[in-house]
Amino acid sequence: MADPAMATVFGCSSLTQFLDFGRERRLPLRGPETQALRAQVLETGTIAGFEVHTRRLDGSSLWLSVSASLVRDSEGRPIALEGTLEDITSRKQVEKRLHQTEESYRSIFEHVQTGIFQTTPSGKYLAANPALARIYGYDSPKELMATLTDIGSMLYVVPARRREFQQLLHATGHVCDFEYQVYRKDGRAIWVSKHAWAVRDESGGIRCYEGTVRDISKRKLAEDDLRQAERKYQSIFENSLDGIFQTSIDGQYLSANPALARIYGFSSPQELMDHLTDISGQLYSDPGRRQAFRDVLAQHGSVSEFESEVRRKDGSLIWISESAWEVRGQAGELLHYEGLVQDITTRKSVEDQLRHQAFHDALTGLPNRLLFMDRLEWAIHRTQRKSKYRFAVFFLDLDRFKVVNDSLGHLAGDALLVEVAARLKKALRPMDSVARFGGDEFAVLVDDITGTLDATHVLSRLREELGKPIIIQGRQVFTSASIGVVLKTWVYDRPEQVVRDADIAMYRAKALGKARYEVYDSSMHLAATSLLQLETDLRNALEFDELRLHYQPIVDIHTGDIKGFEALVRWEHPRRGLIAPAEFIPMAEETGMILPLGRWVLREACRQLAAWQTLKPTNPPLSMSVNISARQFGDIELIGEIRQILEETMIPPESLKLEITESKVMENAEFAVRMLTHLKGLGVRISIDDFGTGYSSLAYLHSFPLDCLKIDRSFVDKMGDGQDSSNIVAAIVGLAHSLGLEVVAEGVEVGGQREALQGFSCQLAQGFLFSRPVPGVEAEALLVLGSCQP
Ligand code: C2E
Ligand code: CA
Ligand code: CA
């Protein structure tokens, strides 16, 4: 039996169809549920709300809720089931969907990496997911929930944080990024961040908290590191000895450290930043320096050891070295500059000193050869570029430096050089340079001259300055220089060539009698090379016996009787023939070869005299005059040498006359007196040679132990012509006689001179009028004759 509604439940249009549907064994209530239902009914006799899954006629799924009871016959045997069926398919479908959704949430809850919790306001867990358990170090959510029964005291490292969290949550209903530290199960503290919201009941009271938890320990550690690094950098910034800065592109300070303030003379970085508002204008002594700095930065992105002179707060100047770099933003735009500053003033000044030392002469402070050559090179460049530009070069060598040095000592020599340097500087114009080349050699660059006249002006000023007496160690010393001049400087392209030619010209000036200048011309080069050759040759001359002595008679001016001879050296050069002393004596003097040469002359002259005295004994005996150079006179050994020669030759000492020029004597009067006294002690006689050419002061004649004056040839020469010097000669003769000195007139060439001299009662004469200097044999012939008659 079935009611028609039942047919509808099963999707049948009529009861008949429903009955057919059941009969065709497609019974709507079959399957395991039906078996279970039947079993239960048989046992209990009734069933209520039993849910059965079956199908409708069209095969679609149908859920039924069955309530039924067993119908029995009179004997109690079950004969039928009687009850109702309710179609619960749609409810079942909703339930199923709900279950599915829950399943998927549960899956998220179970598998998500973020911790998810539900807790009571009192601090107990209602739910926790595996991720939360993992974060807190528990094996399972269950373990976590069982263990942490009071969150505030058991989980939070700082329990007060939980209260803060709750206050926030209660006030606003949710909390974001709440960071705090918790204890894990193993006791280790970690940092977590939580999002949470309050879940309220119908009445608005808070039922529970829900939310998520993330482990942010790693981030916190990184933050810590960052903070530490920041602290470290802060400390470096504060305590660094180097100045550290950040500046804007337009030259403002963005930050500065204490060291920078110190370097620039400010009491604090703040003061520095307040004061220095325009770096390019206020800081750098050269206003263009900041731009140069920025240019390098722009080109390379950084700059290292950029050295500049800057002004400190008090206005003093210091040197700094900057290393800086650009700081750019995300998009590559230039934000500002950063960098370091070192105070390198001390280093700079040491460097300056070293550079100065490298380019200057320590004694005089003048530039040295190196610097001079550099300037000379510049001048040559300028000549090549600017056609109107001209310069001249002088090369100076002091004439008597060695004498001063040897006789007065090195200190005096040094003092002389210092004084000479000062005088050279004084005589020059500001644009000229003077350098010491070493020893007593100086070079002068006369810059930017318009012509020869300019150079000559400078030259005469130089000579004038040098001509003034110099007081050294309380003594008056006279100095002069031989100067080589190069005027045609435009023909050169190397500085060495200019100096070489100036040197050649100087050598020439020296050879021509010192205290003079010579202008270089190309013929000198040849002469110089031969001069150099000569110097080498002269070294051999002594050894190969190439020196000769010629003798010039000194006669009684009235009778022409030979009273003595002057020994004059000649050099019989194997290729060049006879060379006059003027050509090699200055060189021998300069090189020191004069000492052995002079010894040879002395010995040879005395040997010859001894022979002639024997040949022609007279009363007083025949005399021999020998020239003594400055160098020889400055050499104390001379005394011993003469003593030995006198002993060897056995001539009476008073027949040897030493001729010394007055300038040689005057160079160092005190020494001269001592030397002369020693020589006099040997018994020899002293002649002042070339008298009248050196010092105008005759006062010294009194203080020196002298025997004879030789009136210089130049006076004799001028007697009787336009510029009559007769008066002077007369005065000299008178003076000499009043001092008890013998007088010899030199260079008597003509009879008129002889007569004039006779008139002044001059006793002795020497000159071509009587005889030229002649070789020993010829002199001997004259001697045998006994007199020289013009
Ligand atoms: P001095 O000592 O003044 O020698 C005299 C010079 O005048 C000699 O030149 C001689 O030849 C020259 N003379 C003599 N009478 C006349 C004359 O009437 N007219 C002219 N015009 N000249 C005359 P000399 O021999 O060429 O010597 C030049 C200089 O070389 C000497 O000048 C002397 O300073 C130096 N000298 C020569 N021999 C020696 C020497 O053995 N040792 C040193 N240290 N110097 C010497
Ligand atoms: Ca002489
Ligand atoms: Ca002379």
Side-chain angles (χ1 to χ4, degrees):
M1 220 179 81
D3 90 29
M6 190 121 140
T8 321
V9 168
F10 281 92
C12 300
S13 53
S14 66
L15 202 57
T16 325
Q17 192 180 28
F18 174 64
L19 291 174
D20 286 349
F21 173 42
R23 215 171 295 124
E24 279 164 27
R25 298 203 52 84
R26 287 192 279 137
L27 262 177
L29 291 176
R30 287 181 61 238
E33 291 103 330
T34 328
Q35 300 294 322
L37 178 137
R38 210 173 268 145
Q40 199 179 338
V41 172
L42 284 174
E43 200 183 307
T44 62
T46 178
I47 198 162
F50 192 91
E51 294 178 358
V52 177
H53 187 216
T54 182
R55 290 182 190 282
R56 295 197 182 89
L57 179 65
D58 63 4
S60 61
S61 173
L62 174 69
W63 277 95
L64 294 171
S65 172
V66 181
S67 296
S69 50
L70 203 58
V71 180
R72 300 176 188 271
D73 64 9
S74 52
E75 278 141 37
R77 281 177 304 209
I79 50 168
L81 263 178
E82 183 186 66
T84 57
L85 294 175
E86 194 190 343
D87 183 350
I88 56 163
T89 309
S90 55
R91 197 196 87 205
K92 269 292 180 188
Q93 274 166 354
V94 169
E95 265 182 20
K96 189 180 173 193
R97 270 206 301 279
L98 209 73
H99 183 71
Q100 275 172 351
T101 315
E102 205 184 86
E103 271 302 302
S104 65
Y105 282 131
R106 173 140 303 269
S107 171
I108 293 171
F109 184 76
E110 296 291 332
H111 297 112
V112 77
Q113 295 300 313
T114 309
I116 301 174
F117 66 87
Q118 202 176 45
T119 60
T120 64
S122 64
K124 284 194 185 2
Y125 276 99
L126 297 173
N129 73 341
L132 191 75
R134 216 166 31 246
I135 291 170
Y136 291 167
Y138 292 91
D139 294 338
S140 67
K142 218 164 132 192
E143 191 197 359
L144 178 144
M145 291 194 286
T147 314
L148 292 176
T149 48
D150 179 14
I151 294 173
S153 65
M154 298 171 80
L155 184 65
Y156 276 66
V157 172
V158 183
R161 273 302 264 171
R162 165 85 176 165
R163 287 192 290 279
E164 269 173 57
F165 161 72
Q166 284 182 307
Q167 275 160 13
L168 265 169
L169 192 63
H170 289 217
T172 61
H174 65 268
V175 170
C176 273
D177 293 323
F178 187 83
E179 296 181 356
Y180 58 102
Q181 273 184 299
V182 298
Y183 288 120
R184 280 164 52 97
K185 182 187 168 191
D186 59 12
R188 193 156 59 84
I190 59 165
W191 277 94
V192 294
S193 167
K194 114 168 129 185
H195 287 313
W197 52 92
V199 179
R200 295 177 192 273
D201 54 24
E202 293 79 22
S203 57
I206 293 177
R207 204 174 67 211
C208 67
Y209 308 150
E210 282 179 357
T212 58
V213 167
R214 275 180 310 119
D215 182 352
I216 56 163
S217 298
K218 277 209 184 96
R219 196 196 82 202
K220 278 284 177 190
L221 270 176
E223 276 176 11
D224 257 17
D225 284 355
L226 203 71
R227 243 192 310 281
Q228 258 177 24
E230 264 170 18
R231 261 202 300 278
K232 200 162 81 190
Y233 290 127
Q234 184 68 21
S235 161
I236 292 172
F237 185 77
E238 294 296 328
N239 301 314
S240 161
L241 291 178
D242 289 348
I244 304 174
F245 65 82
Q246 274 184 330
T247 59
S248 67
I249 301 151
D250 60 355
Q252 306 260 355
Y253 276 99
L254 302 173
S255 64
N257 71 341
L260 192 73
R262 226 172 15 251
I263 291 171
Y264 291 163
F266 293 95
S267 56
S268 70
Q270 194 54 50
E271 195 199 2
L272 176 146
M273 291 196 279
D274 292 344
H275 187 267
L276 282 179
T277 49
D278 165 25
I279 296 177
S280 57
Q282 291 175 280
L283 187 62
Y284 295 96
S285 70
D286 167 10
R289 203 60 189 147
R290 170 80 177 174
Q291 191 52 49
F293 173 77
R294 287 183 50 185
D295 288 348
V296 180
L297 269 173
Q299 211 180 341
H300 305 286
S302 71
V303 40
S304 77
E305 293 174 14
F306 187 85
E307 298 184 357
S308 328
E309 200 184 33
V310 299
R311 198 171 288 111
R312 297 180 85 230
K313 184 191 171 194
D314 62 7
S316 58
L317 292 171
I318 57 166
W319 276 92
I320 57 158
S321 165
E322 282 176 280
S323 294
W325 49 92
E326 294 177 339
V327 179
R328 291 184 175 274
Q330 299 280 345
E333 76 282 13
L334 180 59
L335 296 178
H336 57 256
Y337 304 125
E338 264 176 16
L340 303 175
V341 170
Q342 278 181 312
D343 182 348
I344 53 161
T345 312
T346 319
R347 193 195 83 198
K348 269 274 174 189
S349 90
V350 172
E351 272 175 12
D352 280 354
Q353 279 168 34
L354 285 178
R355 199 171 309 121
H356 188 89
Q357 262 171 37
F359 288 108
H360 290 81
D361 163 46
L363 177 64
T364 61
L366 290 183
N368 62 10
R369 183 191 194 99
L370 217 62
L371 183 54
F372 186 85
M373 293 311 242
D374 192 56
R375 291 187 180 164
L376 192 52
E377 191 161 4
W378 255 99
I380 291 171
H381 277 312
R382 276 183 71 186
T383 318
Q384 288 160 352
R385 280 202 319 269
K386 290 171 64 182
S387 61
K388 282 220 178 108
Y389 172 78
R390 291 273 176 273
F391 68 94
V393 169
F394 304 160
F395 197 88
L396 284 84
D397 188 292
L398 299 186
D399 290 328
R400 280 182 297 271
F401 177 71
K402 285 193 181 70
V403 181
V404 174
N405 219 29
D406 293 351
S407 54
L408 297 185
H410 288 290
L411 283 180
D414 285 356
L416 177 67
L417 289 172
V418 170
E419 179 58 26
V420 166
R423 288 178 181 210
L424 291 175
K425 256 161 73 179
K426 193 176 158 205
L428 293 174
R429 304 163 308 163
M431 65 264 218
D432 303 330
S433 347
V434 54
R436 182 176 170 217
F437 267 39
D440 56 350
E441 291 179 341
F442 297 86
V444 174
L445 175 72
V446 191
D447 206 15
D448 206 4
I449 51 174
T450 47
T452 313
L453 212 61
D454 270 359
T456 323
H457 276 320
V458 176
L459 195 57
S460 48
R461 267 208 310 279
L462 275 183
R463 282 155 54 87
E464 190 187 320
E465 274 301 324
L466 288 180
K468 295 175 187 164
I470 298 177
I471 308 292
I472 285 171
Q473 296 177 351
R475 286 189 196 88
Q476 227 186 26
V477 174
F478 283 85
T479 183
S480 65
S482 300
I483 306 175
V485 177
V486 177
L487 290 174
K488 271 193 187 177
T489 47
W490 58 92
V491 302
Y492 297 94
D493 44 40
R494 293 296 315 145
E496 301 81 49
Q497 300 164 341
V498 186
V499 169
R500 178 201 63 202
D501 288 352
D503 187 35
I504 288 173
M506 182 281 291
Y507 217 102
R508 179 103 188 127
K510 197 138 276 201
L512 290 176
K514 307 182 176 179
R516 54 183 291 154
Y517 71 92
E518 282 295 314
V519 178
Y520 178 81
D521 72 72
S522 43
S523 67
M524 276 184 193
H525 190 62
L526 206 72
T529 20
S530 50
L531 204 65
L532 211 71
Q533 184 59 47
L534 207 64
E535 189 183 321
T536 326
D537 291 353
L538 184 60
R539 292 184 188 278
N540 299 324
L542 273 164
E543 199 181 328
F544 296 131
D545 202 16
E546 292 167 6
L547 297 178
R548 307 279 174 265
L549 282 186
H550 282 194
Y551 302 92
Q552 186 174 34
I554 296 171
V555 302
D556 183 310
I557 200 164
H558 303 286
T559 61
D561 289 351
I562 295 173
K563 298 291 177 191
F565 289 95
E566 176 176 3
L568 294 160
V569 71
R570 304 287 181 261
W571 179 9
E572 215 170 85
H573 193 278
R575 290 186 311 277
R576 295 194 184 182
L578 213 60
I579 301 177
E583 274 189 67
F584 63 90
I585 291 291
M587 184 173 70
E589 174 85 7
E590 200 67 35
T591 55
M593 254 179 306
I594 193 73
L595 295 178
L597 188 149
R599 272 197 293 276
W600 179 86
V601 171
L602 264 169
R603 181 167 278 113
E604 180 61 19
C606 292
R607 201 190 50 72
Q608 183 63 76
L609 180 65
W612 287 340
Q613 283 179 344
T614 318
L615 181 72
K616 192 152 191 200
T618 50
N619 191 21
L622 193 71
S623 73
M624 182 64 77
S625 296
V626 175
N627 295 288
I628 300 294
S629 82
R631 189 95 176 234
Q632 283 176 285
F633 187 69
D635 181 14
I636 203 84
E637 306 272 300
L638 182 69
I639 299 153
E641 283 163 18
I642 292 177
R643 180 186 293 120
Q644 199 186 345
I645 290 170
L646 290 174
E647 280 167 11
E648 276 170 25
T649 55
M650 295 195 302
I651 54 166
E654 65 276 10
S655 55
L656 176 61
K657 292 186 183 178
L658 302 179
E659 296 197 356
I660 303 156
T661 58
E662 54 176 343
S663 55
K664 289 168 200 164
V665 174
M666 279 306 291
E667 260 162 17
N668 178 2
E670 194 181 301
F671 176 83
V673 170
R674 260 176 37 221
M675 192 70 183
L676 291 173
T677 312
H678 280 304
L679 291 171
K680 287 292 285 181
L682 295 175
V684 299
R685 293 197 287 162
I686 310 289
S687 241
I688 293 296
D689 205 353
D690 305 342
F691 184 80
T693 55
Y695 293 83
S696 41
S697 160
L698 303 173
Y700 76 94
L701 288 179
H702 299 279
S703 41
F704 290 141
L706 305 174
D707 302 281
C708 178
L709 291 187
K710 289 186 85 172
I711 302 176
D712 193 67
R713 209 166 59 229
S714 55
F715 294 102
V716 177
D717 202 34
K718 283 176 202 141
M719 282 197 316
D721 69 4
Q723 17 173 342
D724 201 347
S725 59
S726 305
N727 291 341
I728 304 174
V729 175
I732 293 173
V733 177
L735 175 81
H737 284 165
S738 74
L739 290 170
L741 301 176
E742 195 175 57
V743 180
V744 179
E746 277 189 320
V748 181
E749 290 182 352
V750 291
Q753 292 166 347
R754 181 190 188 187
E755 282 151 28
L757 287 162
Q758 281 173 334
F760 304 141
S761 50
C762 177
Q763 284 293 312
L764 299 166
Q766 180 182 353
F768 293 173
L769 179 67
F770 304 101
S771 169
R772 290 185 171 261
V774 290
V777 232
E778 291 177 41
E780 193 170 310
L782 287 173
L783 182 65
V784 172
L785 277 175
S787 75
C788 300
Q789 289 309 328

